[in-house]
Amino acid sequence: MWAWQLVLAVGFGIGSAVIPVLNAEAYVLGVGVSGALDPVVAAIGVSIGQTIGKVAMFLAVRYRPGYAGRKTKEPKPVNLDTRWGRFVHWNRGVSKRLLDAMSDSRWGAPVTLLSAFIGIPPLYGVALIGGASRMKTVVFTLSVLAGRVARFVLLALGVSGF
C-alpha cells in the first residue's frame, strides 16, 4: 500500500521542484492532517521528488547548449552616474560572489544544505546558481536530499502528532 503513496509523492515532489506554485509543504501537511496517507512515506517521497527536480534544474543549467564552448566576454560598460547603472554594477558583483561561493568546497555544500532545510536562500535559485558554478553534482544531490528529508520528515512528524 505504501508503494503507490511513495510514487504519488515522488511525482508531486518533481512537479513542485520545478513549478513554484505547487507547494510541497502544503502537500505534506495535507497528507498528515487528512490521515489518508502515511505522512512519513509522503515526506520521504516528496523529498526524493524534490531532489530529482532540483538536480534536473542543476544539470539543465550546467549542460545547456553552447555553455561549455562559451568564452567569457567582457560585460557592457555601465554609467555609474545613474541609479540603474549602479544597480547593474552591484548585481554583477553579487552574482560573481555567489558563483564563487557555490564553487568553493567549503561553502557550496553548507549553503545548499541550509537552503534545502530552511529555505533561505531559496533552493530554486541555489539550484540554478549551483549549476552554473563548479560545484560537484554528487555534492549538490546529497546536500539537497539530506536537507529535504530532514525538513519534510520533521514537518510530517509534527503534524501527525495531532
Side-chain angles (χ1 to χ4, degrees):
M1 173 149 157
W2 60 268
W4 70 269
Q5 295 176 14
L6 188 65
V7 170
L8 182 68
V10 168
F12 189 86
I14 292 171
S16 69
V18 295
I19 304 170
V21 179
L22 299 175
N23 193 332
E25 288 84 357
Y27 178 81
V28 173
L29 285 173
V31 164
V33 169
S34 71
L37 305 174
D38 184 11
V40 175
V41 171
I44 292 171
V46 167
S47 301
I48 292 169
Q50 283 257 315
T51 302
I52 292 169
K54 297 302 181 187
V55 169
M57 291 170 51
F58 178 91
L59 294 174
V61 170
R62 173 145 309 163
Y63 297 112
R64 67 186 180 267
Y67 181 67
R70 185 176 64 144
K71 294 181 174 56
T72 57
K73 60 181 179 181
E74 288 296 319
K76 293 179 184 177
V78 293
N79 183 3
L80 295 177
D81 293 334
T82 65
R83 180 175 286 175
W84 179 252
R86 289 189 300 273
F87 173 75
V88 169
H89 181 70
W90 172 82
N91 191 31
R92 286 178 184 167
V94 168
S95 297
K96 183 179 178 341
R97 286 192 300 276
L98 284 173
L99 278 173
D100 291 344
M102 290 299 289
S103 297
D104 189 358
S105 60
R106 291 175 297 162
W107 292 105
V111 166
T112 306
L113 187 63
L114 185 72
S115 175
F117 182 66
I118 296 176
I120 298 173
L123 187 56
Y124 197 93
V126 169
L128 298 176
I129 291 172
S133 72
R134 295 182 308 272
M135 184 179 213
K136 293 181 178 156
T137 307
V138 173
V139 172
F140 179 79
T141 303
L142 294 176
S143 298
V144 171
L145 183 62
R148 284 295 169 182
V149 166
R151 177 184 182 115
F152 291 128
V153 167
L154 285 174
L155 186 64
L157 290 175
V159 86
S160 67
F162 290 106

